[in-house]
Amino acid sequence: MYNLSFIRADFPILSRQVYGRPLVYLDNGATTQKPLCVLDAMRDEYLNVNANVHRGVHYLSQQATDLHEAARETVRAFINARSTNEIVFTRGTTEGINLIASSFCEALMQPGDEVIVSEMEHHSNIVPWQLQAARRGIALKVIPINDRGELLLEEMDALFTPRTRLISIAHVSNVLGTVNPIAEIVRRAHSHGVPVLVDGAQSAPHFQVDMQALDCDFFTFSGHKTYGPTGVGVLYGKEEWLDRLPPYQGGGEMIETVAFEKTTFAALPFKFEAGTPDYIATHGLAKALDYLTRLGMNNIERHEQELTNYCTQQLKAIDGMRLFGEAEHKDAVVSFLLRDIHHLDMGTLLDRLGIAVRTGHHCAQPLMTRLKVSGTVRASFGLYNTREEVDALVEGIRRVETMF
Ligand code: C6P
């Protein structure tokens, strides 16, 4: 049973006020709030266990290592990867993409080789490839979208050439909410012998992601958008691909032996984890994923889908409302503009009513160019949001409208 009042009690921040009004937190796409079980587990580890992992023979170090490696197993199970060797801890989605861009291009790409991305990507899935383009002379190709905010898969098919080496694509758009058909994209890419990297920043928090069902080659997401702490994220990679890639950074943890003449590297996944990992955060992340699993990802998905549909209906009833992203399969995000009210004005005035939304280009400027706007207002839902909060948003928008 999905009991919202019990759930909300796990997130004390939701009961606070801003400007003397109850907080309505609708900026979950940017980051999510943390349940008490995550905060308690991290505090408890600092209080009672804290020691560096993988290094000490002493009791605390072994206990901390056990918690850290247990977190890796929790992540593996959460995304249904085959092995913990396929789970690399990173700082977040951005670092996961940068890692692959750097290592994949270094090992497996030549000048003139191509990477395919899409028009709806976050800057984190554009700029790392552009850096590689400048350094190594690779080319970027872009899958266009239709006016509903859906990928044009036929156009994607036409982009494949013998030089295509990788597709790197968002699972869910952080602006449009479009859920891209990853399994189908993977099937088509694999038929050309091309692997697929999935940016799961906006999917892993919202519905079950299953690595074996998606069959993607790499997948990355952020802890802080998944009700876990900041500063930790996950990169999944199929073992056969990770094995072929060189380390991203050098340092402690990622080596087997070091001599001035030659250094050999540790086995997976440690080869990609140079330096002390944020082991308190990995423990916190595991607690967050356990929390999501207890609630049930299917229940979370159903709840957020209802909120998204309800919000969309309510917004459509407002005269002069323009919605961005009306894909058949969309999730947890509603982007809009009302008449000629600037997104920043709308966001600032909603904030004064206690309603937290995001405004601007959402780190997706090429998409803004495609939509011919400088930015939008975005409400993004989390597992704890309510219909009453959607009502508050709609009422807030109507109030803002009267001020113009
Ligand atoms: N989007 C948003 O408000 P990091 O910063 O590494 O945790 O996540 C980057 C990122 C990558 N891909 C997608 C699809 C994303 O949505 C994000 C983060 C936030 O939409 C902050 S810009």
Side-chain angles (χ1 to χ4, degrees):
M1 160 90 162
Y2 201 81
N3 186 322
L4 272 177
S5 24
F6 285 154
I7 291 172
R8 288 178 72 85
D10 293 331
F11 297 84
I13 198 171
L14 298 177
S15 316
R16 70 161 288 181
Q17 303 216 324
V18 291
Y19 308 113
R21 293 167 175 278
L23 170 68
V24 175
Y25 186 77
L26 299 177
D27 195 18
N28 295 283
T31 200
T32 50
Q33 303 304 342
K34 320 303 171 199
L36 280 170
C37 61
V38 169
L39 306 176
D40 290 346
M42 293 174 73
R43 183 167 190 273
D44 184 61
E45 188 172 2
Y46 270 129
L47 280 176
N48 295 307
V49 182
N50 184 45
N52 207 331
V53 293
H54 299 139
R55 284 168 167 84
V57 290
H58 62 80
Y59 189 87
L60 291 189
S61 176
Q62 289 185 14
Q63 215 179 344
T65 303
D66 288 348
L67 288 175
H68 181 62
E69 290 308 319
R72 203 185 300 277
E73 167 54 26
T74 301
V75 171
R76 185 209 63 74
F78 186 75
I79 62 173
N80 194 29
R82 281 186 189 81
S83 153
T84 49
N85 291 347
E86 300 178 320
I87 307 299
V88 177
F89 285 120
T90 63
R91 283 191 304 122
T93 306
T94 303
E95 191 175 52
I97 298 172
N98 275 279
L99 190 161
I100 295 302
S102 169
S103 292
F104 193 96
C105 292
E106 180 187 330
L108 303 172
M109 293 188 76
Q110 303 296 327
D113 283 349
E114 297 160 1
V115 172
I116 297 178
V117 297
S118 88
E119 218 171 5
M120 66 172 81
E121 297 310 314
H122 186 278
H123 296 164
S124 291
N125 196 24
I126 299 173
V127 184
W129 304 110
Q130 288 178 325
L131 292 176
Q132 294 306 324
R135 283 174 198 154
R136 298 179 210 277
I138 65 162
L140 213 55
K141 293 191 153 184
V142 183
I143 311 169
I145 58 172
N146 64 21
D147 290 340
R148 294 159 58 87
E150 295 161 325
L151 291 176
L152 293 169
L153 289 191
E154 289 66 39
E155 309 257 350
M156 176 186 84
D157 290 338
L159 294 179
F160 286 103
T161 75
R163 304 300 301 266
T164 309
R165 295 286 171 265
L166 186 75
I167 296 192
S168 188
I169 189 120
H171 200 171
V172 175
S173 159
N174 66 321
V175 177
L176 307 167
T178 310
V179 181
N180 289 321
I182 294 299
E184 175 60 17
I185 291 170
V186 169
R187 199 184 59 71
R188 294 188 191 198
H190 285 179
S191 75
H192 294 270
V194 172
V196 178
L197 161 60
V198 178
D199 170 352
Q202 301 291 349
S203 62
H206 299 294
F207 52 85
Q208 179 73 61
V209 292
D210 180 325
M211 294 307 107
Q212 296 185 57
L214 290 175
D215 197 29
C216 56
D217 303 278
F218 306 102
F219 185 98
T220 179
F221 67 97
S222 299
H224 72 99
K225 294 189 200 291
T226 320
Y227 306 91
T230 50
V232 68
V234 171
L235 170 68
Y236 157 86
K238 281 184 184 163
E239 227 171 321
E240 60 264 35
W241 278 110
L242 291 182
D243 266 334
R244 293 173 65 188
L245 302 184
Y248 174 52
Q249 296 181 326
E253 288 278 304
M254 50 75 74
I255 53 88
E256 185 185 47
T257 61
V258 177
F260 283 113
E261 297 70 32
K262 182 177 166 60
T263 288
T264 56
F265 302 123
L268 290 177
F270 307 109
K271 181 172 82 171
F272 293 107
E273 294 181 352
T276 299
D278 193 340
Y279 53 84
I280 304 283
T282 57
H283 180 45
L285 174 61
K287 292 294 168 190
L289 300 184
D290 283 343
Y291 183 84
L292 297 181
T293 302
R294 274 201 304 282
L295 287 183
M297 288 311 290
N298 290 341
N299 296 331
I300 293 169
E301 181 181 7
R302 192 175 322 115
H303 172 67
E304 292 178 350
Q305 195 71 61
E306 273 167 26
L307 287 180
T308 309
N309 294 344
Y310 179 60
C311 185
T312 304
Q313 269 171 21
Q314 298 296 307
L315 292 188
K316 275 186 169 169
I318 300 177
D319 243 15
M321 178 60 70
R322 226 178 126 194
L323 292 180
F324 298 88
E326 297 200 72
E328 199 169 319
H329 194 183
K330 80 171 267 185
D331 190 74
V333 170
V334 179
S335 270
F336 64 91
L337 287 174
L338 180 60
R339 302 186 196 287
D340 55 357
I341 302 173
H342 195 274
H343 45 87
L344 193 57
D345 293 334
M346 176 64 83
T348 308
L349 292 168
L350 285 175
D351 177 52
R352 289 285 158 170
L353 300 172
I355 302 165
V357 291
R358 188 168 171 194
T359 65
H361 55 62
H362 313 293
C363 301
Q365 286 184 358
L367 177 59
M368 296 299 126
T369 304
R370 165 66 174 83
L371 300 173
K372 298 191 177 65
V373 295
S374 65
T376 71
V377 186
R378 181 190 72 180
S380 51
F381 302 110
L383 59 88
Y384 35 58
N385 288 124
T386 63
R387 278 170 84 93
E388 291 71 30
E389 288 180 309
V390 173
D391 291 337
L393 170 69
V394 173
E395 199 188 308
I397 294 169
R398 289 190 187 279
R399 276 189 67 178
V400 172
E401 190 185 12
T402 61
M403 296 177 198
F404 281 82

